[in-house]
Every structure is written in C-alpha cells, then in structure tokens.
Amino acid sequence: MASLELSNPAFTDGGPIPREYGYTNENVNPPLEVDGVPDGTESLALVIDDPDAVEPAGKVWDHWLVWNIDPSTRTIPEDWNASGAVEGQNDYGERGYGGPNPPDREHTYRFRLYALDERLDLEAGATKDDLEALLTNRVLADAELEGTYAP
C-alpha cells in the first residue's frame, strides 16, 4: 500500500521556498504534487503554518487552510483558486493563501496534507482550531513537506 506523499516542484523538502511565494512578493501558493492517496479517501485537507512564529507572534502562524479538496487531485497548481474546495481564514485575517513573511529570521514552514474519510461540514473562513476539531478520527493518512523562508 502506498503512503500519502506531498511534494513541491519549486523547492525540495527542507529547502528554501522561492521568494515569489512570500507574502510581500507575489503572494501566490507554490505548486504541490499529491501521490499515494489511500482508497476510501473522500476529501483532502491542506494546512500551511509557521511553528517558528511562536516567539515573535506568540502563536503558530496559519498561512493557508483548505479542505474538501477532491481526493482525485494530484496537482495543486501555483496560484490555485481552490475551485471546488473551501478555504479558511489565515492569520493575516484573510481567506486563502498568505505567504511566508517572517519578521525576525529564517523560519521553517510546514505543509501538511490529510486524506480524510469524509467531506467536512465546515464553512469558509473557519479557523485552524475549527478544522483540527473536525479532523479527529477522520484522518486516513497524512503527509508533510517543509520549506524555509528568510526575511
């Protein structure tokens, strides 16, 4: 059985995220590739956050929350409009993608993908806390990719 995988043609796992994906630059999501979605998956959810923001911001900073992504999705293109999926509120107070923008030093950003056994009944603009509360006992598989970004 294949395991869920998340990769990115724009940077390697643990490598630097190209400048254009930053919040103060083009602020478009990087392309993502999905592989190994398990049988029985009804939807995918994606969370991009910055755990290194705890010191300067007082919390893990949420950059993008997307759920109810079609499980047949194998590519999330650059500057994706999330058609057919639902986007939550990031910590910039916006719905959709908000790119890296570390205030102090290089930060590591987590891209986490979840294969879920159902579609989520969650309204657009919901927060990561709302999303994570619904993930309990619904995750069939998960994958993580990391990238770094410096001011």
Side-chain angles (χ1 to χ4, degrees), residues 49-80:
D49 63 16
D50 175 6
D52 291 336
V54 171
E55 188 174 319
K59 60 178 279 175
V60 173
W61 194 266
D62 301 327
H63 288 269
W64 200 19
L65 310 170
V66 190
W67 57 90
N68 291 345
I69 301 169
D70 188 305
S72 67
T73 299
R74 296 300 172 259
T75 300
I76 294 174
E78 180 178 276
D79 198 19
W80 184 47

Side-chain angles (χ1 to χ4, degrees), residues 74-93:
R74 296 300 172 259
T75 300
I76 294 174
E78 180 178 276
D79 198 19
W80 184 47
N81 68 6
S83 62
V86 183
E87 292 179 297
Q89 180 172 305
N90 62 40
D91 281 327
Y92 296 113

Side-chain angles (χ1 to χ4, degrees), residues 21-126:
Y21 304 117
Y23 189 72
T24 59
N25 293 299
E26 293 178 32
N27 197 37
V28 297
N29 69 275
L32 298 168
E33 301 292 330
V34 177
D35 195 26
V37 175
D39 291 342
T41 299
E42 293 295 322
S43 69
L44 300 171
L46 176 68
V47 174
I48 301 176
D49 63 16
D50 175 6
D52 291 336
V54 171
E55 188 174 319
K59 60 178 279 175
V60 173
W61 194 266
D62 301 327
H63 288 269
W64 200 19
L65 310 170
V66 190
W67 57 90
N68 291 345
I69 301 169
D70 188 305
S72 67
T73 299
R74 296 300 172 259
T75 300
I76 294 174
E78 180 178 276
D79 198 19
W80 184 47
N81 68 6
S83 62
V86 183
E87 292 179 297
Q89 180 172 305
N90 62 40
D91 281 327
Y92 296 113
E94 302 163 352
R95 190 180 306 163
Y97 176 81
N101 190 24
D104 55 350
R105 60 177 172 80
E106 179 179 274
H107 286 203
T108 297
Y109 295 83
R110 296 183 298 197
F111 294 68
R112 292 178 293 165
L113 182 69
Y114 302 93
L116 307 175
D117 65 0
E118 64 183 62
R119 292 180 58 82
L120 300 179
D121 184 17
L122 189 59
E123 292 186 20

